[in-house]
Amino acid sequence: MDLTLSEVLIVSGSLILIGLLVSEILDWLQMLIPLTSNNQVFIPLPVFDYANDNQPHDWKAEFIRRVRSNQSPINIITNDSVVIEGGDPLDWIDYSTQPEVMTMINDGNTITLHFVWPNGIIPHIEKGPLRYSYNFHSIIFYWGISDDVGSEHGLDNVKYPMEMQLVHVKANLESPRTIITTENSDEIAIISYFFKISKDNNDALDNITSKLSNVEDVQSKIFIEPFNIDTLFPIFKRKFYTFNGSSTALSFSENVTWIINPEPLNIARTQMEKFRKINLLKREEIKKYQPIQTFNQETVYFHE
Ligand SMILES: *[C@@H]1O[C@H](CO)[C@@H](O)[C@H](O)[C@H]1NC(C)=O
Ligand SMILES: *[C@@H]1O[C@H](CO)[C@@H](O)[C@H](O)[C@H]1NC(C)=O
Ligand SMILES: *[C@@H]1O[C@H](CO)[C@@H](O)[C@H](O)[C@H]1NC(C)=O
Ligand SMILES: *[C@@H]1O[C@H](CO)[C@@H](O)[C@H](O)[C@H]1NC(C)=O
């Protein structure tokens, strides 16, 4: 068979394109592999660090095994917190960016949201109580079967029906594995919001609650239509509690810098019920919930 040079170029070019397409499809199929096992949580870390070998194409393979720990939740006694006046306000950068891809996962312990961001942009926080810059990584929801349990933290012995945690990972980490091996206690910062039952619907939350029926089964995972995440929560710069503590879901050996907004957000009862329909592995444990443990109060700060 005689082929001209341009025909050869067209054929080889087409083969290369087909190859690239197939490899991309295989790459994405990895995300659909069911998350495995009983009380082990698989969390991709960090999903959007463009530094070094950690390109967006690599993060899909970076599922790192974590074992859920049994740390007690923490109750903040607001009157005992140390008030910091005139501190640096917390800085939020690029939170109005719309993600390119959003996934919702039922890993058996919680519902989490993960993101892929458009090239070069990663929402991040800095200043306030933070010494470094922290890249936004994922959102975790905690809820209970009744209105007086659910939140991981308590505020003056009050538990809220739901808590939403924005997980952040220190920027410029050499690789996700650094988090596991490091001795440092400043790799993770989590911003937390409480939810209280309201008469009115929280319309922004509908972007989440309308998808929950697709992840009612343990180990289910779906893509959801991307929306601006900063519709979900108010950006606050002051009037928050902060302390170094541990995390129930992310059992990192080091501590987490917590930043807690004491002003609860609204969730309608119909929206709350959609969360409560979700099947989790440790449902009984979540029903009873662990006894509240009061944190070492000397270390809780309130940034005025
Ligand atoms: C905080 O202290 C003030 C003044 O002592 C007191 O009136 C208030 O009830 C306390 N608040 C809480 C939540 O315990
Ligand atoms: C998300 O919620 C906002 C606010 O309610 C709404 O304007 C927007 O259309 C929703 N986006 C999607 C993708 O559902
Ligand atoms: C948390 O720990 C870091 C590192 O040890 C320290 O610099 C920071 O002041 C601590 N923050 C709080 C709120 O205790
Ligand atoms: C974590 O926090 C606890 C309580 O403040 C503290 O005793 C412990 O030393 C901290 N661990 C690290 C690795 O910083």
Side-chain angles (χ1 to χ4, degrees), residues 204-224:
L205 211 52
D206 279 343
N207 283 326
I208 308 271
T209 53
S210 64
K211 312 296 191 316
L212 288 176
S213 61
N214 299 306
V215 288
E216 278 177 9
D217 295 333
V218 170
Q219 295 175 12
S220 49
K221 180 168 186 167
I222 55 162
F223 291 98
I224 63 176

PDB file of all heavy atoms in Angstrom, residues 204-224:
ATOM      1  N   ALA A 204     -28.809  27.637  48.710  1.00  0.00           N
ATOM      2  CA  ALA A 204     -27.470  27.278  48.241  1.00  0.00           C
ATOM      3  C   ALA A 204     -27.161  25.814  48.548  1.00  0.00           C
ATOM      4  O   ALA A 204     -26.518  25.115  47.762  1.00  0.00           O
ATOM      5  CB  ALA A 204     -26.426  28.180  48.880  1.00  0.00           C
ATOM      6  N   LEU A 205     -27.672  25.347  49.696  1.00  0.00           N
ATOM      7  CA  LEU A 205     -27.413  23.965  50.102  1.00  0.00           C
ATOM      8  C   LEU A 205     -28.141  22.956  49.211  1.00  0.00           C
ATOM      9  O   LEU A 205     -27.775  21.777  49.180  1.00  0.00           O
ATOM     10  CB  LEU A 205     -27.850  23.799  51.567  1.00  0.00           C
ATOM     11  CG  LEU A 205     -27.120  22.803  52.459  1.00  0.00           C
ATOM     12  CD1 LEU A 205     -25.622  23.018  52.437  1.00  0.00           C
ATOM     13  CD2 LEU A 205     -27.659  22.889  53.878  1.00  0.00           C
ATOM     14  N   ASP A 206     -29.151  23.421  48.484  1.00  0.00           N
ATOM     15  CA  ASP A 206     -29.862  22.534  47.549  1.00  0.00           C
ATOM     16  C   ASP A 206     -28.915  21.929  46.510  1.00  0.00           C
ATOM     17  O   ASP A 206     -29.148  20.826  46.018  1.00  0.00           O
ATOM     18  CB  ASP A 206     -30.981  23.290  46.825  1.00  0.00           C
ATOM     19  CG  ASP A 206     -32.228  23.398  47.688  1.00  0.00           C
ATOM     20  OD1 ASP A 206     -32.335  22.628  48.665  1.00  0.00           O
ATOM     21  OD2 ASP A 206     -33.082  24.249  47.380  1.00  0.00           O
ATOM     22  N   ASN A 207     -27.857  22.689  46.160  1.00  0.00           N
ATOM     23  CA  ASN A 207     -26.861  22.154  45.222  1.00  0.00           C
ATOM     24  C   ASN A 207     -26.266  20.842  45.733  1.00  0.00           C
ATOM     25  O   ASN A 207     -25.833  20.006  44.945  1.00  0.00           O
ATOM     26  CB  ASN A 207     -25.709  23.165  45.027  1.00  0.00           C
ATOM     27  CG  ASN A 207     -26.101  24.301  44.104  1.00  0.00           C
ATOM     28  OD1 ASN A 207     -26.868  24.104  43.169  1.00  0.00           O
ATOM     29  ND2 ASN A 207     -25.565  25.483  44.361  1.00  0.00           N
ATOM     30  N   ILE A 208     -26.247  20.672  47.041  1.00  0.00           N
ATOM     31  CA  ILE A 208     -25.729  19.451  47.669  1.00  0.00           C
ATOM     32  C   ILE A 208     -26.873  18.480  47.948  1.00  0.00           C
ATOM     33  O   ILE A 208     -26.832  17.327  47.523  1.00  0.00           O
ATOM     34  CB  ILE A 208     -25.056  19.782  49.031  1.00  0.00           C
ATOM     35  CG1 ILE A 208     -24.022  20.884  48.874  1.00  0.00           C
ATOM     36  CG2 ILE A 208     -24.514  18.514  49.694  1.00  0.00           C
ATOM     37  CD1 ILE A 208     -22.664  20.436  48.548  1.00  0.00           C
ATOM     38  N   THR A 209     -27.898  18.966  48.665  1.00  0.00           N
ATOM     39  CA  THR A 209     -28.935  18.040  49.139  1.00  0.00           C
ATOM     40  C   THR A 209     -29.701  17.382  47.986  1.00  0.00           C
ATOM     41  O   THR A 209     -30.145  16.248  48.116  1.00  0.00           O
ATOM     42  CB  THR A 209     -29.932  18.752  50.082  1.00  0.00           C
ATOM     43  OG1 THR A 209     -30.432  19.919  49.424  1.00  0.00           O
ATOM     44  CG2 THR A 209     -29.247  19.167  51.368  1.00  0.00           C
ATOM     45  N   SER A 210     -29.809  18.082  46.846  1.00  0.00           N
ATOM     46  CA  SER A 210     -30.535  17.481  45.716  1.00  0.00           C
ATOM     47  C   SER A 210     -29.759  16.310  45.115  1.00  0.00           C
ATOM     48  O   SER A 210     -30.316  15.535  44.345  1.00  0.00           O
ATOM     49  CB  SER A 210     -30.803  18.540  44.644  1.00  0.00           C
ATOM     50  OG  SER A 210     -29.580  18.989  44.110  1.00  0.00           O
ATOM     51  N   LYS A 211     -28.469  16.176  45.452  1.00  0.00           N
ATOM     52  CA  LYS A 211     -27.652  15.079  44.906  1.00  0.00           C
ATOM     53  C   LYS A 211     -27.488  13.929  45.896  1.00  0.00           C
ATOM     54  O   LYS A 211     -26.982  12.868  45.534  1.00  0.00           O
ATOM     55  CB  LYS A 211     -26.254  15.587  44.533  1.00  0.00           C
ATOM     56  CG  LYS A 211     -26.208  16.870  43.722  1.00  0.00           C
ATOM     57  CD  LYS A 211     -26.851  16.672  42.356  1.00  0.00           C
ATOM     58  CE  LYS A 211     -26.617  17.819  41.388  1.00  0.00           C
ATOM     59  NZ  LYS A 211     -26.768  19.157  41.938  1.00  0.00           N
ATOM     60  N   LEU A 212     -27.889  14.135  47.141  1.00  0.00           N
ATOM     61  CA  LEU A 212     -27.562  13.153  48.188  1.00  0.00           C
ATOM     62  C   LEU A 212     -28.178  11.780  47.950  1.00  0.00           C
ATOM     63  O   LEU A 212     -27.611  10.771  48.355  1.00  0.00           O
ATOM     64  CB  LEU A 212     -27.995  13.682  49.568  1.00  0.00           C
ATOM     65  CG  LEU A 212     -27.133  14.818  50.130  1.00  0.00           C
ATOM     66  CD1 LEU A 212     -27.726  15.319  51.442  1.00  0.00           C
ATOM     67  CD2 LEU A 212     -25.691  14.380  50.332  1.00  0.00           C
ATOM     68  N   SER A 213     -29.342  11.750  47.264  1.00  0.00           N
ATOM     69  CA  SER A 213     -29.987  10.451  47.059  1.00  0.00           C
ATOM     70  C   SER A 213     -29.120   9.523  46.201  1.00  0.00           C
ATOM     71  O   SER A 213     -29.292   8.312  46.217  1.00  0.00           O
ATOM     72  CB  SER A 213     -31.356  10.639  46.407  1.00  0.00           C
ATOM     73  OG  SER A 213     -31.199  11.250  45.146  1.00  0.00           O
ATOM     74  N   ASN A 214     -28.142  10.107  45.480  1.00  0.00           N
ATOM     75  CA  ASN A 214     -27.253   9.286  44.640  1.00  0.00           C
ATOM     76  C   ASN A 214     -26.085   8.674  45.411  1.00  0.00           C
ATOM     77  O   ASN A 214     -25.339   7.872  44.861  1.00  0.00           O
ATOM     78  CB  ASN A 214     -26.683  10.130  43.499  1.00  0.00           C
ATOM     79  CG  ASN A 214     -27.764  10.672  42.607  1.00  0.00           C
ATOM     80  OD1 ASN A 214     -28.587   9.920  42.099  1.00  0.00           O
ATOM     81  ND2 ASN A 214     -27.801  11.985  42.441  1.00  0.00           N
ATOM     82  N   VAL A 215     -25.893   9.123  46.643  1.00  0.00           N
ATOM     83  CA  VAL A 215     -24.772   8.585  47.432  1.00  0.00           C
ATOM     84  C   VAL A 215     -25.278   8.013  48.756  1.00  0.00           C
ATOM     85  O   VAL A 215     -24.576   8.024  49.753  1.00  0.00           O
ATOM     86  CB  VAL A 215     -23.671   9.646  47.687  1.00  0.00           C
ATOM     87  CG1 VAL A 215     -22.905   9.946  46.421  1.00  0.00           C
ATOM     88  CG2 VAL A 215     -24.242  10.917  48.298  1.00  0.00           C
ATOM     89  N   GLU A 216     -26.519   7.477  48.734  1.00  0.00           N
ATOM     90  CA  GLU A 216     -27.052   6.918  49.973  1.00  0.00           C
ATOM     91  C   GLU A 216     -26.324   5.646  50.370  1.00  0.00           C
ATOM     92  O   GLU A 216     -26.265   5.300  51.540  1.00  0.00           O
ATOM     93  CB  GLU A 216     -28.554   6.650  49.825  1.00  0.00           C
ATOM     94  CG  GLU A 216     -29.367   7.910  50.042  1.00  0.00           C
ATOM     95  CD  GLU A 216     -30.856   7.714  49.827  1.00  0.00           C
ATOM     96  OE1 GLU A 216     -31.297   6.562  49.670  1.00  0.00           O
ATOM     97  OE2 GLU A 216     -31.571   8.738  49.805  1.00  0.00           O
ATOM     98  N   ASP A 217     -25.757   4.939  49.383  1.00  0.00           N
ATOM     99  CA  ASP A 217     -25.066   3.688  49.702  1.00  0.00           C
ATOM    100  C   ASP A 217     -23.598   3.941  50.019  1.00  0.00           C
ATOM    101  O   ASP A 217     -22.953   4.790  49.396  1.00  0.00           O
ATOM    102  CB  ASP A 217     -25.161   2.719  48.517  1.00  0.00           C
ATOM    103  CG  ASP A 217     -26.594   2.304  48.254  1.00  0.00           C
ATOM    104  OD1 ASP A 217     -27.387   2.328  49.222  1.00  0.00           O
ATOM    105  OD2 ASP A 217     -26.910   1.993  47.097  1.00  0.00           O
ATOM    106  N   VAL A 218     -23.099   3.171  50.973  1.00  0.00           N
ATOM    107  CA  VAL A 218     -21.689   3.256  51.332  1.00  0.00           C
ATOM    108  C   VAL A 218     -20.832   2.959  50.106  1.00  0.00           C
ATOM    109  O   VAL A 218     -21.153   2.072  49.318  1.00  0.00           O
ATOM    110  CB  VAL A 218     -21.388   2.247  52.477  1.00  0.00           C
ATOM    111  CG1 VAL A 218     -19.885   2.133  52.713  1.00  0.00           C
ATOM    112  CG2 VAL A 218     -22.095   2.685  53.741  1.00  0.00           C
ATOM    113  N   GLN A 219     -19.786   3.712  49.940  1.00  0.00           N
ATOM    114  CA  GLN A 219     -18.840   3.572  48.835  1.00  0.00           C
ATOM    115  C   GLN A 219     -19.409   4.010  47.495  1.00  0.00           C
ATOM    116  O   GLN A 219     -18.962   3.558  46.453  1.00  0.00           O
ATOM    117  CB  GLN A 219     -18.308   2.136  48.736  1.00  0.00           C
ATOM    118  CG  GLN A 219     -17.492   1.749  49.952  1.00  0.00           C
ATOM    119  CD  GLN A 219     -17.058   0.302  49.934  1.00  0.00           C
ATOM    120  OE1 GLN A 219     -17.172  -0.365  48.914  1.00  0.00           O
ATOM    121  NE2 GLN A 219     -16.572  -0.176  51.051  1.00  0.00           N
ATOM    122  N   SER A 220     -20.387   4.875  47.538  1.00  0.00           N
ATOM    123  CA  SER A 220     -20.844   5.417  46.259  1.00  0.00           C
ATOM    124  C   SER A 220     -20.182   6.763  46.009  1.00  0.00           C
ATOM    125  O   SER A 220     -19.778   7.462  46.937  1.00  0.00           O
ATOM    126  CB  SER A 220     -22.364   5.521  46.232  1.00  0.00           C
ATOM    127  OG  SER A 220     -22.848   6.165  47.388  1.00  0.00           O
ATOM    128  N   LYS A 221     -20.085   7.082  44.742  1.00  0.00           N
ATOM    129  CA  LYS A 221     -19.324   8.262  44.346  1.00  0.00           C
ATOM    130  C   LYS A 221     -19.920   8.805  43.057  1.00  0.00           C
ATOM    131  O   LYS A 221     -20.166   8.049  42.129  1.00  0.00           O
ATOM    132  CB  LYS A 221     -17.882   7.795  44.104  1.00  0.00           C
ATOM    133  CG  LYS A 221     -16.932   8.862  43.677  1.00  0.00           C
ATOM    134  CD  LYS A 221     -15.532   8.297  43.787  1.00  0.00           C
ATOM    135  CE  LYS A 221     -14.502   9.340  43.528  1.00  0.00           C
ATOM    136  NZ  LYS A 221     -13.168   8.898  43.918  1.00  0.00           N
ATOM    137  N   ILE A 222     -20.196  10.100  43.009  1.00  0.00           N
ATOM    138  CA  ILE A 222     -20.770  10.670  41.790  1.00  0.00           C
ATOM    139  C   ILE A 222     -20.077  11.980  41.431  1.00  0.00           C
ATOM    140  O   ILE A 222     -19.496  12.648  42.292  1.00  0.00           O
ATOM    141  CB  ILE A 222     -22.291  10.964  41.940  1.00  0.00           C
ATOM    142  CG1 ILE A 222     -22.546  11.862  43.164  1.00  0.00           C
ATOM    143  CG2 ILE A 222     -23.090   9.689  42.009  1.00  0.00           C
ATOM    144  CD1 ILE A 222     -23.894  12.536  43.151  1.00  0.00           C
ATOM    145  N   PHE A 223     -20.151  12.317  40.169  1.00  0.00           N
ATOM    146  CA  PHE A 223     -19.773  13.659  39.748  1.00  0.00           C
ATOM    147  C   PHE A 223     -21.001  14.541  39.903  1.00  0.00           C
ATOM    148  O   PHE A 223     -22.112  14.104  39.594  1.00  0.00           O
ATOM    149  CB  PHE A 223     -19.346  13.671  38.278  1.00  0.00           C
ATOM    150  CG  PHE A 223     -18.047  12.967  38.039  1.00  0.00           C
ATOM    151  CD1 PHE A 223     -18.020  11.655  37.579  1.00  0.00           C
ATOM    152  CD2 PHE A 223     -16.834  13.603  38.276  1.00  0.00           C
ATOM    153  CE1 PHE A 223     -16.805  10.997  37.365  1.00  0.00           C
ATOM    154  CE2 PHE A 223     -15.632  12.966  38.069  1.00  0.00           C
ATOM    155  CZ  PHE A 223     -15.625  11.659  37.617  1.00  0.00           C
ATOM    156  N   ILE A 224     -20.826  15.766  40.406  1.00  0.00           N
ATOM    157  CA  ILE A 224     -21.962  16.683  40.437  1.00  0.00           C
ATOM    158  C   ILE A 224     -21.624  17.928  39.625  1.00  0.00           C
ATOM    159  O   ILE A 224     -20.458  18.237  39.408  1.00  0.00           O
ATOM    160  CB  ILE A 224     -22.393  17.048  41.877  1.00  0.00           C
ATOM    161  CG1 ILE A 224     -21.284  17.800  42.615  1.00  0.00           C
ATOM    162  CG2 ILE A 224     -22.793  15.812  42.653  1.00  0.00           C
ATOM    163  CD1 ILE A 224     -21.723  18.263  43.997  1.00  0.00           C
TER     164      ILE A 224
END
